[in-house]
Amino acid sequence: MSGSDSELEVLGGQMKDRIRNVLGRSLAIREVDAGSCNACEVEVNALTNPIYDIERFGLHIVASPRHADAILVTGPVTRNMERGLVQSYNAMAEPRMVIAMGVCAIGGGLFRECYACHKGVGEVVPVDVYIPGCPPRPQAIIQGIMVALDKWQQRK
Amino acid sequence: MKVTNLFRFYRLGVGKRGVVTTRYPNGPAELPAAAQCAPELTGKCDACGHCAEACPTKAIAVTTSKFTIDLGDCIYCGECARGCPKGSIVMGKNCELSARKREGLEVSYDVRQ
Ligand code: SF4
Ligand code: SF4
Ligand code: SF4
């Protein structure tokens, strides 16, 4: 392994330690698509590719809100997804957190005037962190997760 | 063996990229040259309002003293930058803009005539 590779591992370890400190374990995130255009999902997928590779920090995208510490919500919350979002929120164990990703989830974005959806996640469940962008870059999502970690640390 | 022959081109290093993983968040966010993030007011502004008119999500509010972009509405399309007759708006490269409050996404600038 070259010098820069091992340095990368060490630095990545620091973020891992922070997650351990704050949560006592890995951070599990459930992605909830509340009517997004799917561009946000593409960026969430990119988080686990070899370039952004969030699993090296102990950040996992999990298959159920029951397994999750936080839900990452995209989309303006359509009428059909309102119940699903509330159920996902209620299924999470405390301490839980809601991260609104993309301008749709923040305030409705381009779909603000639409009759079939809410104006953002905040109208349905309380939001803890907002990640702006349409869609937000993978780096922006990682930064949003770090802001969420700060919030957790303060709650402790 | 047949199988080794099948994967011989990997041994020759075809398509080999080395380490591609980004340093972020422990280093700076390295964005591609074409990437555009939130717009920024960088130059003079005479509060003409062309940018606010061009914005599809009405994210910009301009008065004679203050220029405000609500990043919670901005879709990074660049219409405001194209619509500004003075060329004062540039699409920035800063993507680290998350906030804990909705109001924290509002960015204000003092208007310089
Ligand atoms: S924020 Fe943009 S990219 Fe994300 S779901 Fe809404 S329209 Fe699509
Ligand atoms: S980039 Fe597009 S959405 Fe954002 S302020 Fe400019 S015109 Fe509005
Ligand atoms: S930024 Fe440009 S388009 Fe917008 S009000 Fe100022 S001068 Fe006019």
Side-chain angles (χ1 to χ4, degrees):
Chain A
M1 192 187 271
S2 74
S4 62
D5 284 357
S6 51
E7 196 186 324
L8 193 76
E9 296 263 303
V10 171
L11 288 168
Q14 286 171 2
M15 169 123 173
K16 204 171 181 171
D17 289 344
R18 240 188 103 211
I19 294 174
R20 277 268 156 74
N21 274 339
V22 177
L23 293 161
R25 64 198 136 85
S26 290
L27 171 56
I29 297 171
R30 172 67 193 162
E31 214 274 308
V32 178
D33 178 346
S36 95
C37 75
N38 264 165
C40 279
E41 273 67 47
V42 171
E43 301 296 318
V44 174
N45 283 348
L47 283 177
T48 53
N49 72 14
I51 296 176
Y52 300 104
D53 195 16
I54 55 163
E55 300 243 340
R56 73 196 143 125
F57 307 128
L59 284 167
H60 303 289
I61 308 285
V62 293
S64 162
R66 285 264 189 234
H67 307 159
D69 303 300
I71 47 174
L72 182 66
V73 190
T74 59
V77 189
T78 54
R79 281 191 199 171
N80 284 341
M81 265 310 286
E82 183 184 345
R83 199 170 126 231
L85 176 59
V86 172
Q87 283 178 339
S88 301
Y89 179 75
N90 290 336
M92 265 194 300
E94 293 273 6
R96 58 194 168 188
M97 201 163 269
V98 178
I99 305 172
M101 171 188 171
V103 295
C104 288
I106 293 169
L110 288 168
F111 307 108
R112 256 180 306 184
E113 317 290 320
C114 179
Y115 68 93
C117 62
H118 288 274
K119 293 180 183 62
V121 177
E123 291 192 353
V124 183
V125 293
V127 178
D128 297 287
V129 177
Y130 296 91
I131 307 178
C134 183
R137 298 189 63 79
Q139 289 101 328
I141 306 170
I142 295 173
Q143 194 243 344
I145 293 168
M146 291 201 295
V147 172
L149 277 176
D150 286 343
K151 203 160 178 172
W152 250 307
Q153 206 153 21
Q154 286 178 1
R155 274 188 191 173
K156 250 184 143 180
Chain B
M1 240 162 55
K2 280 266 160 22
V3 177
T4 38
N5 282 344
L6 189 62
F7 293 106
R8 207 166 56 190
F9 64 95
Y10 280 137
R11 291 226 195 99
L12 296 172
V14 177
K16 191 169 176 181
R17 293 283 304 277
V19 176
V20 292
T21 309
T22 172
R23 284 173 175 276
Y24 195 80
N26 300 308
E30 290 148 0
L31 306 195
Q36 54 181 40
C37 293
E40 291 162 10
L41 184 70
T42 54
K44 293 198 159 106
C45 167
D46 54 13
C48 67
H50 286 310
C51 51
E53 230 162 82
C55 178
T57 56
K58 300 284 166 269
I60 299 182
V62 206
T63 67
T64 45
S65 60
K66 234 179 185 60
F67 176 95
T68 311
I69 302 180
D70 187 350
L71 297 181
D73 286 334
C74 174
I75 58 167
Y76 301 176
C77 65
E79 285 303 317
C80 51
R82 280 187 283 275
C84 177
K86 289 188 183 282
S88 299
I89 301 178
V90 295
M91 299 308 287
K93 289 274 184 196
N94 177 17
C95 63
E96 300 174 280
L97 300 160
S98 301
R100 292 190 209 164
K101 292 257 167 344
R102 180 69 182 79
E103 306 82 66
L105 296 173
E106 266 179 29
V107 182
S108 298
Y109 299 86
D110 291 327
V111 165
R112 282 186 294 134
Q113 299 271 342

